[in-house]
Amino acid sequence: MQAKTSNPPDGGYGWVVVASAFTVMGLTVAVLKTFGLLFVEIQQHFDELASTTSWITSVTITIFHLGAPVASSLCARYTHRAVVITGGLLAFSGMALGFLGLSMVWMYATTGFLQGLGISFSWIPAISIVSHYFSKKRALASAIASAGECVFAFTFGPFFQWLISQYGWKGALLIIGGIQLNICVCGVLMRPLASSCLLEARHYETERPPSNGESRIDKEDKSPITHKTFNWMLVRQPEFVLYAIFGILAAMSFFVPPLFLVPLSYSLGIDDSWTASLLSILAVVDFAGRLLCGWYANLHVTKTVHLLTVTITLISTSLVLLPLANNYLSLAIFTGFYGFFFGTTVAIHITVLADVVGMPDFDSALGLFMLIRSTGGFVGPPLAGLIVDMTGDYRAGFYMAGATLILSAVFLVTLDQLQQRKERGTQTNTKQENSTLPYSTLRLLKLQ
């Protein structure tokens, strides 16, 4: 289908794209977040340590990030639609083959590698195309789309628990894989939108004088659809580098709490049914945090990087306090605080990336950001698992996650200071240029 050649519509069919991305988020990240319910079952089946079993999640997260540049490049070369459909098929394959449960290495290759690649090929183009369809309402649209993982995680918690009790962890994997095939349906609904590069090329052709007797209209009609190239030079921009380091440290922390929340509750002697409800509570407050933060960011009252710094500080504080819980009620309260602040953080961190690099380089920046961030996702869960094995206490993993997030906030503050310094330099240069203009020209500019 031919791409629509228009500016970001900020509505209209864009809301269909948001709804599709909403579902994709639920069928990818929500599955990853609730994998903790399968964690204990798989660990007991293979009789392995927590650190060994956690490598399944670590491989999934790593491949999710490593596949991001590939997904971004494929989106530029083909369409977001095609890449999402491919991702849905890969995610299904990972779960369906994991059903065989041949060995722990087999689990790394299937529910780890294939599932991670499927999530990457689904998540990256889904969140990217939403940013292309919206400009003024980008923060709100991105927050709504990302909230899909919360809504699905709310139902997936008790549903996965029921699947495990009825069909075992192997049967649950197969059924979950079948559900993930709906990602392909969402991909079909993601109608391509013309890239800014194509629009700029056509604008150049219409502004340029026609040559060889060829009219402007003919020139437009014969202009080939050019594809954007992946911009690897973003790694030379200090702002992007600072934000990427923040992403590494954040990734080391983000995937630890969902992985160890269930085992922590078991260690406190909490019943299985109550444990599953913790994941539902986490999903509800996460959903509220995303929508509230997306709405507030859309008011443009506070710079998004300032808002992100505040949310990171609050989520790190809640992670440090969460291990103080000693019963279900206190654990549910601290889980609620963590989930809410996590939601506010996830709602805007991609929007901040768009503000840092600009939309022309956003697809490349998103792919590179996820690639660089993969080191944090690769190290985080196994490191937390190693600390848990050494201390014999799941609380230690939460302390590690909270401390790492506090460190990541330092790089956000540094990024903000660098941006402010550049803004002041730009304003100074502008004033100096204006001071050199003739008095008559300055007077004319004031009248205008």
Side-chain angles (χ1 to χ4, degrees), residues 30 102 152 285 319:
L102 301 180
F152 279 79
V285 294
L319 278 177

Side-chain angles (χ1 to χ4, degrees), residues 421-432:
R421 192 181 305 120
K422 286 194 172 185
E423 288 175 1
R424 287 194 296 266
T426 303
Q427 292 174 358
T428 302
N429 293 334
T430 302
K431 290 180 180 179
Q432 290 177 350

